[in-house]
């Protein structure tokens, strides 16, 4: 007797049920010589960020808010959670065979791991373990940002231009935990389902809207911005833009990615090079924004073309919808 197929309700409201892990397995087919090393690294980032997410949720209960009592390389007061997040990432990533080099905002120098030689590609993973830490004490959003390069014996300091990144992404710890990833073929978004402990893909090939009437900048520093930025901000206000600034780049850029607009951290009188770090903040966010059809520039040059001079180098950062960036660049060139 013929049976009638029952309509299957979509799980999680997604048309296809794909975890980050299965997404990576499918993605590997794009690379003819893939040996699974990149998938192992992404899986290490997934387990690390699930751990960090859980620690963040219990931070007040576990009494891990506040400062450690020492400064990092940038002279910033390290928070206990900066150290915890850094240690989680280092411990998990150093156990993966393909990882040869780790670089962190919270460590002065690169860390060389798995130093034995062997077959297969070797990777450098650079990261900002917890971005936007001033939000921690008030339970605001924070993030983890990562950048992955292939390492070469000829370039042991890993100072490659961002255009050579193999993969990049961020995790936003907000009202939900979001994993955004690119391996050079579009930008995909996953949400952590804490009930099953898996990142579930919720959006594929995200496109930054061509224009968005929102700007994101620490406007309190405006008196110290170059004149072109002040002109652009006045233009935005005259045109009825909204201003949104969380103070965590991951959260601010995530809004730009999904709804359009522009994120800026310009040079200021106090910080002529800007505040954000090229290798583990600007480069990975630039790759994400470009892969989604947006623009990433210092105002003078494409971020991904910059030749790095140091692991902790700072750069001015502009990330946004193509039309917004064009308007800003016109103001900067006047
Ligand atoms: P952090 O990595 O030390 O937290 O600093 C980076 C953060 C960015 O997330 C954010 O865009 C910026 O610093 C905020 O700085 P400011 O308080 O100067 O606006
Ligand atoms: Mg940061």
């Amino acid at each position: 007797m013929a049976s009638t197929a029952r309509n299957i309700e979509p799980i999680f409201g997604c048309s296809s049920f794909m975890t980050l892990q299965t997404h990576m397995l499918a993605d590997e087919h794009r690379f003819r010589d893939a040996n699974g090393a990149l998938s192992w690294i992404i899986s290490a980032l997934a387990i690390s960020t699930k751990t960090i997410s859980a620690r963040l949720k219990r931070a007040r209960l576990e009494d891990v808010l506040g400062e450690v009592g020492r400064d990092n390389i940038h002279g910033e007061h390290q928070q206990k959670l900066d150290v915890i997040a850094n240690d989680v990432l280092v411990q998990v990533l150093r156990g993966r065979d393909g990882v040869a080099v780790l670089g962190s905002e919270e460590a002065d120098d690169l860390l060389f791991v798995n130093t034995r030689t062997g077959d297969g590609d070797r990777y450098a993973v650079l990261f900002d373990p917890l971005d936007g830490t001033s939000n921690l004490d008030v339970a605001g959003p924070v993030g983890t940002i990562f950048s992955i390069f292939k390492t070469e014996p000829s370039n042991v300091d890993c100072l490659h231009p961002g255009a050579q990144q193999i993969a990049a992404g961020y995790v936003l710890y907000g009202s939900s935990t979001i994993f955004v990833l690119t391996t050079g073929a579009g930008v995909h978004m996953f949400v952590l389902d804490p009930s099953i402990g898996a990142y579930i893909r919720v959006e594929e090939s995200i496109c930054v809207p061509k224009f968005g009437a929102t700007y994101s900048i620490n406007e309190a520093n405006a008196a110290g911005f170059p004149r072109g930025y002040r002109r652009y901000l006045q233009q935005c206000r005259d045109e009825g833009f909204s201003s949104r600034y969380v103070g965590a780049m991951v959260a601010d850029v995530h809004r730009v990615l999904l709804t359009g607009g522009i994120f800026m951290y310009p040079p200021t009188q106090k910080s002529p090079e800007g505040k954000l770090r090229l290798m583990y903040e600007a480069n990975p966010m630039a790759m994400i924004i470009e892969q989604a059809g947006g623009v990433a520039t210092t105002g003078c040059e494409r971020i991904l073309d910059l030749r790095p001079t140091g692991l902790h180098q700072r750069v001015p950062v502009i990330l946004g919808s193509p039309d917004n960036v064009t308007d800003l660049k016109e103001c900067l060139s006047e």
Side-chain angles (χ1 to χ4, degrees):
M1 193 171 66
S3 66
T4 326
R6 186 170 60 82
N7 279 341
I8 308 272
E9 289 294 325
I11 312 175
F12 302 113
C14 319
S15 52
S16 69
F17 180 58
M18 181 78 90
T19 64
L20 176 57
Q21 199 178 4
T22 43
H23 171 93
M24 282 308 298
L25 287 173
D27 195 46
E28 264 178 31
H29 292 300
R30 284 195 302 114
F31 302 99
R32 202 157 34 89
D33 306 327
N35 62 359
L38 183 60
S39 300
W40 274 107
I41 294 170
I42 300 298
S43 112
L45 290 164
I47 188 69
S48 305
T49 55
K50 285 178 209 173
T51 308
I52 295 168
S53 178
R55 293 300 299 267
L56 286 169
K57 286 198 167 37
R58 295 186 49 80
R60 190 67 193 250
L61 303 171
E62 290 179 356
D63 195 22
V64 287
L65 292 175
E67 294 172 4
V68 192
R70 62 171 184 263
D71 291 354
N72 64 13
I73 174 105
H74 317 286
E76 298 156 350
H77 302 315
Q78 265 185 324
Q79 302 279 317
K80 292 176 193 167
L81 278 163
D82 280 327
V83 177
I84 291 170
N86 182 67
D87 291 356
V88 168
L89 283 157
V90 170
Q91 277 180 46
V92 179
L93 283 163
R94 73 186 310 164
R96 303 289 157 128
D97 264 356
V99 177
V101 185
L102 297 174
S104 167
E105 179 182 342
E106 299 304 329
D108 299 5
D109 300 310
L110 293 169
L111 177 67
F112 294 88
V113 296
N114 297 321
T115 43
R116 71 187 181 287
T117 50
D119 292 341
D121 291 322
R122 316 275 285 155
Y123 293 88
V125 187
L126 310 180
F127 49 86
D128 179 356
L130 260 196
D131 180 62
T133 41
S134 68
N135 283 350
L136 284 171
D137 288 346
V138 294
V142 290
T144 295
I145 311 174
F146 58 88
S147 163
I148 304 175
F149 290 91
K150 271 189 192 162
T151 58
E152 295 141 27
S154 58
N155 192 347
V156 287
D157 58 7
C158 297
L159 295 179
H160 309 276
Q164 291 179 26
Q165 290 171 110
I166 298 297
Y170 60 80
V171 176
L172 168 61
Y173 312 101
S175 55
S176 51
T177 300
I178 309 278
F179 196 115
V180 173
L181 174 69
T182 181
T183 55
V187 176
H188 313 294
M189 180 162 95
F190 305 80
V191 174
L192 178 62
D193 180 344
S195 68
I196 59 169
Y199 283 109
I200 308 297
R201 194 173 72 196
V202 293
E203 214 165 322
E204 272 187 279
S205 305
I206 296 173
C207 291
V208 178
K210 202 164 162 291
F211 169 80
T214 306
Y215 64 88
S216 184
I217 192 169
N218 189 341
E219 221 162 344
N221 297 331
F225 294 160
R227 195 174 312 149
Y229 284 93
R230 284 184 271 141
R231 199 178 294 128
Y232 177 70
L233 291 173
Q234 188 56 51
Q235 186 178 303
C236 290
R237 288 190 291 265
D238 292 346
E239 291 175 10
F241 276 44
S242 278
S243 155
R244 292 284 182 275
Y245 192 69
V246 171
M249 182 197 201
V250 169
D252 285 317
V253 174
H254 190 62
R255 180 186 294 107
V256 171
L257 178 72
L258 297 188
T259 64
I262 187 163
F263 169 86
M264 297 160 276
Y265 207 107
T268 61
Q269 271 161 1
K270 207 172 101 196
S271 315
E273 301 304 321
K275 175 184 181 191
L276 300 175
R277 275 57 58 118
L278 174 63
M279 297 305 288
Y280 41 78
E281 292 179 325
N283 268 343
M285 294 312 239
M287 184 176 181
I288 290 278
I289 287 293
E290 282 201 4
Q291 282 289 317
V295 182
T297 170
T298 63
C300 306
E301 287 166 272
R302 181 182 178 227
I303 289 173
L304 295 180
D305 285 340
L306 292 174
R307 298 222 153 259
T309 54
L311 175 62
H312 299 291
Q313 172 185 357
R314 297 175 193 266
V315 284
V317 171
I318 298 164
L319 302 166
S321 297
D323 288 358
N324 295 65
V325 179
T326 301
D327 290 347
L328 169 59
K329 285 180 85 172
E330 268 172 29
C331 291
L332 293 178
S333 64
E334 277 168 22

